Amino acid sequence: MSNLLNPDAIFSNNEMSLSDIEIYGFDYDYTLVFYSKHLHTLIFNAARDLLVNEHRYPAEIRKYDYDPNFAIRGLHYDVHRALLMKIDAFHYIQLGTVYRGLSVVPDEEVIAMYDGSHVPLEQMSDFYGKSSQGNTMKQFMDIFSLPEMTLLSCVNEYFLKNNIDYEPVHLYKDVKDSIRDVHIKGIMYQAIEANIEKYICYAEQTRAVLAKLADHGKKMFLITNSPSSFVDRGMKYIVGKDWRDLFDVVIVQADKPNFFNDKRRPFRKVNERGVLLWDKINELQKGQIYKQGNLYEFLKLTGWRGSKVLYFGDHIYSDLAATDLCSSYITCLFSTLNCCCWDVIAADGASAYLTGTMKCLNSENLSNVDIIASLNRSRAIIPELRSEIKIMNKQQYIHTMTWLQTLTGLLEHMQVHRDPDSQLILEDWKKERKEMRELTRNFFNSQFGSLFRTDQNPTYFLRRLSRFADIYMASLSCLLNYDPNYTFYPRRTPLQHELPAWSDQLCTGTFRIPFLQDMVQLK
C-alpha cells in the first residue's frame, strides 16, 4: 500500500518555518536521551520497596511485578475513588477503560458513580494535571509516571483482594511520595550511572542532530530537572566527552515548571567537582553548567527573544504549557486583552497560574517585547508516536477501521427505518460496532487503547498536546529528515459542519502529511 504514514515524520499543529529558528532548546530525559525498558522496572521496584520499608505497607505487595503493558500516558486517576481511567478531549470517560486496581469497572457502575460519563470541569485535574484545590482528578502526563500508575493499581488490587479497608487519598499520597523519593534520594540516578549501558539507549542520531544544528550556525541550550553529574555522564555516553561544546547554555536541576514562573531563584554555577559556587551570575558562559535559575534571568542574560527560539520537551505541562503561557498568552493579555485567549486559559484552569506569573512580570517591569521573548515555540517529543503509527499502517488495522466507519455510516443513515426487521438489523450493527471498537482499542493497549484517541474523539492528552505544541514527533532524529529551511504546514481538518470533499484530500492525495515514499524529497 502506497499511502502509509511515516513513523519518522514531524507533524504540525501550527504553520512554522525552521528558517526562522536561530536557537534550539532541549529537555534531557526522553528528549535528548531515551531509556530502556529496564528503567521503569527499576522505578517500580524501588518505590514498592519504599512503601514497605518506610510507609509500613504489607510486605506481600512485593509479589507484584511491573507490567509494561498495563498503563499508557495521559490517563486520569480519581484520587478519592481510586479509579484509573481514560478521558477524552471533552471530559467524557471512555467506558471500558475505568480500572479499580487491576480489574475493569462495569460501565453501569461508572455511569452510576459519575451520573453519566462526563466529568465536570471542577472535578478535573488542575492546569498542571495535579489533584489540588478541590480537583479530584490527577492526570499522568510524564513517561516516568507509567510505573507510578501501575504501582497504584497493584496496591489497590492487593487491598481489594484481601478485603482491607483503606483510605484511597492516603494510598495515592504514599505512592506519589515513594515515586518522588526514587528521584529525589538519587536511587534512580545512582542505578543508571552504575550501569549506564543497561538503562540508556545509545543513540548516535542524537549527536547527529546536534552536530547538524551546530553546522548550520544554530545556538543551543539545555534545561533539565536532572542533576549535573547524571546529565554529564549520560551526555558523554550518547554524544561524547565534548558534549558541552555543542551547547551555549546548560542548566540542571531547574525545577520546571517553577523555572518558568518563579523569578526569586538566581542561577548558581556548578564547578567540575559538582560543587555549587556562590558567585553572582552576570552572564551564562558556554562550557559551564548552572543550577536552578528562572526564565526571567535567562532572558536577561542571553538576550534571546521571540519566535526564533524553539524548545523541545516530552512533558506537556512542565516543558510545553509553562513556556506557552509565559509567552504568547501573556502577550495577548498585556497588549490586546484578547478575550478568546482568556476564555481558553480559564477553561484550562490556569487563571491562578497567570495571576502569579503576571505579578512576577509586572514587578520586573518587563515590556511586551520581553514578554514575547519567552520560549513561545514548543515542540513535543512523543516516543509512543512511532509505535502507534506502525500499528496504523498494518492492513488489519486499516481494514478494521474502514469497516468500523462503514458501520457507523450505515447506522446513521438507516436508523430512520422503524419496522421490527430493520430494528433487529440495527441492533446487530450496534453490537458489532461495539465489538469493533474494542478490537481497535486492543490494537494499541488491551486496557486503555491509543494514547491519542478515545473511539471517535481525541484524548484529553491529545487536546493538551495540540494546545501547547506547534509540532510533535517521535524523537529528535526526525529532524534529520528535513532541510533546515523546511516549512511545516498543518493540514486543514474538516469541521463537523464542513464537507471534506474539497479539502486536503484533493491537494495531496489523502492527507497533507509525509508518507514513507515522500520523505526522501524533504532532506
Side-chain angles (χ1 to χ4, degrees), residues 148-214:
E148 181 175 358
M149 286 185 276
T150 307
L151 183 58
L152 267 171
S153 299
C154 287
V155 180
N156 273 312
E157 179 76 5
Y158 173 80
F159 285 150
L160 292 168
K161 291 294 185 183
N162 291 277
N163 297 315
I164 299 174
D165 190 25
Y166 68 103
E167 173 53 62
V169 175
H170 298 332
L171 170 59
Y172 166 73
K173 183 180 182 303
D174 291 343
V175 171
K176 181 181 70 172
D177 290 347
S178 296
I179 292 287
R180 179 203 62 197
D181 287 345
V182 172
H183 295 265
I184 291 179
K185 293 183 176 181
I187 298 171
M188 183 188 79
Y189 301 127
Q190 292 168 13
I192 293 174
E193 289 188 56
N195 197 347
I196 202 164
E197 294 83 2
K198 177 180 179 180
Y199 292 108
I200 291 184
C201 299
Y202 179 74
E204 60 183 19
Q205 289 181 318
T206 299
R207 170 87 189 193
V209 171
L210 298 177
K212 179 179 179 179
L213 295 176

Side-chain angles (χ1 to χ4, degrees), residues 8-42:
D8 294 317
I10 294 177
F11 302 89
S12 174
N13 290 320
N14 290 308
E15 184 173 331
M16 187 203 75
S17 176
L18 292 179
S19 62
D20 296 331
I21 307 301
E22 299 176 15
I23 303 139
Y24 286 75
F26 305 94
D27 183 29
Y28 177 70
D29 296 303
Y30 288 105
T31 301
L32 290 174
V33 63
F34 285 85
Y35 297 99
S36 72
K37 60 182 180 180
H38 301 293
L39 180 60
H40 287 172
T41 300
L42 166 70

Side-chain angles (χ1 to χ4, degrees), residues 157 187 309 384 483 515:
E157 179 76 5
I187 298 171
V309 180
E384 301 94 334
D483 182 87
F515 299 115

Side-chain angles (χ1 to χ4, degrees), residues 17-236:
S17 176
L18 292 179
S19 62
D20 296 331
I21 307 301
E22 299 176 15
I23 303 139
Y24 286 75
F26 305 94
D27 183 29
Y28 177 70
D29 296 303
Y30 288 105
T31 301
L32 290 174
V33 63
F34 285 85
Y35 297 99
S36 72
K37 60 182 180 180
H38 301 293
L39 180 60
H40 287 172
T41 300
L42 166 70
I43 295 172
F44 178 93
N45 291 343
R48 182 196 59 199
D49 291 344
L50 286 172
L51 279 178
V52 174
N53 297 332
E54 297 192 6
H55 295 276
R56 299 296 183 263
Y57 275 65
E60 288 81 2
I61 67 171
R62 285 199 173 103
K63 71 179 182 180
Y64 291 98
D65 296 319
Y66 178 65
D67 179 3
N69 300 314
F70 176 69
I72 62 173
R73 261 204 299 173
L75 300 179
H76 281 79
Y77 184 76
D78 189 324
V79 175
H80 294 279
R81 294 187 174 100
L83 298 176
L84 187 65
M85 68 190 72
K86 186 177 175 186
I87 295 178
D88 73 11
F90 309 103
H91 298 187
Y92 281 92
I93 300 168
Q94 183 178 12
L95 297 177
T97 69
V98 181
Y99 276 74
R100 180 186 288 116
L102 301 175
S103 302
V104 66
V105 179
D107 294 348
E108 298 78 13
E109 186 177 344
V110 174
I111 292 171
M113 282 190 289
Y114 292 95
D115 294 323
S117 60
H118 184 263
V119 180
L121 177 63
E122 62 269 15
Q123 293 182 25
M124 291 293 289
S125 54
D126 68 10
F127 180 69
Y128 286 119
K130 300 177 181 178
S131 58
S132 61
Q133 298 178 349
N135 305 98
T136 60
M137 293 284 187
K138 152 74 179 178
Q139 189 181 20
F140 292 100
M141 299 294 277
D142 193 347
I143 299 177
F144 284 125
S145 67
L146 292 172
E148 181 175 358
M149 286 185 276
T150 307
L151 183 58
L152 267 171
S153 299
C154 287
V155 180
N156 273 312
E157 179 76 5
Y158 173 80
F159 285 150
L160 292 168
K161 291 294 185 183
N162 291 277
N163 297 315
I164 299 174
D165 190 25
Y166 68 103
E167 173 53 62
V169 175
H170 298 332
L171 170 59
Y172 166 73
K173 183 180 182 303
D174 291 343
V175 171
K176 181 181 70 172
D177 290 347
S178 296
I179 292 287
R180 179 203 62 197
D181 287 345
V182 172
H183 295 265
I184 291 179
K185 293 183 176 181
I187 298 171
M188 183 188 79
Y189 301 127
Q190 292 168 13
I192 293 174
E193 289 188 56
N195 197 347
I196 202 164
E197 294 83 2
K198 177 180 179 180
Y199 292 108
I200 291 184
C201 299
Y202 179 74
E204 60 183 19
Q205 289 181 318
T206 299
R207 170 87 189 193
V209 171
L210 298 177
K212 179 179 179 179
L213 295 176
D215 290 343
H216 285 85
K218 307 299 183 182
K219 294 183 180 295
M220 288 177 279
F221 65 91
L222 169 62
I223 303 178
T224 176
N225 288 345
S226 295
S228 174
S229 62
F230 177 74
V231 173
D232 184 60
R233 182 74 188 279
M235 290 298 286
K236 284 178 178 176

Side-chain angles (χ1 to χ4, degrees), residues 348-405:
D348 283 333
S351 57
Y353 171 92
L354 285 170
T355 301
T357 304
M358 288 190 289
K359 287 180 179 178
C360 291
L361 290 170
N362 284 332
S363 66
E364 198 64 29
N365 294 319
L366 292 177
S367 66
N368 285 345
V369 174
D370 290 321
I371 299 167
I372 295 173
S374 299
L375 313 177
N376 60 6
R377 285 190 180 273
S378 298
R379 315 298 176 258
I381 303 297
I382 311 294
E384 301 94 334
L385 185 62
R386 183 174 281 114
S387 62
E388 292 219 3
I389 288 177
K390 289 180 178 179
I391 291 171
M392 290 188 291
N393 281 339
K394 292 181 178 180
Q395 288 296 317
Q396 185 181 4
Y397 178 83
I398 295 170
H399 292 158
T400 301
M401 287 304 302
T402 301
W403 179 234
L404 179 59
Q405 291 299 94

Side-chain angles (χ1 to χ4, degrees), residues 266-285:
F267 287 106
R268 295 194 72 173
K269 186 183 292 186
V270 183
N271 70 12
E272 295 293 334
R273 299 188 306 275
V275 177
L276 291 174
L277 305 181
W278 45 261
D279 310 53
K280 181 177 177 60
I281 304 301
N282 295 310
E283 63 175 332
L284 298 176
Q285 300 174 335

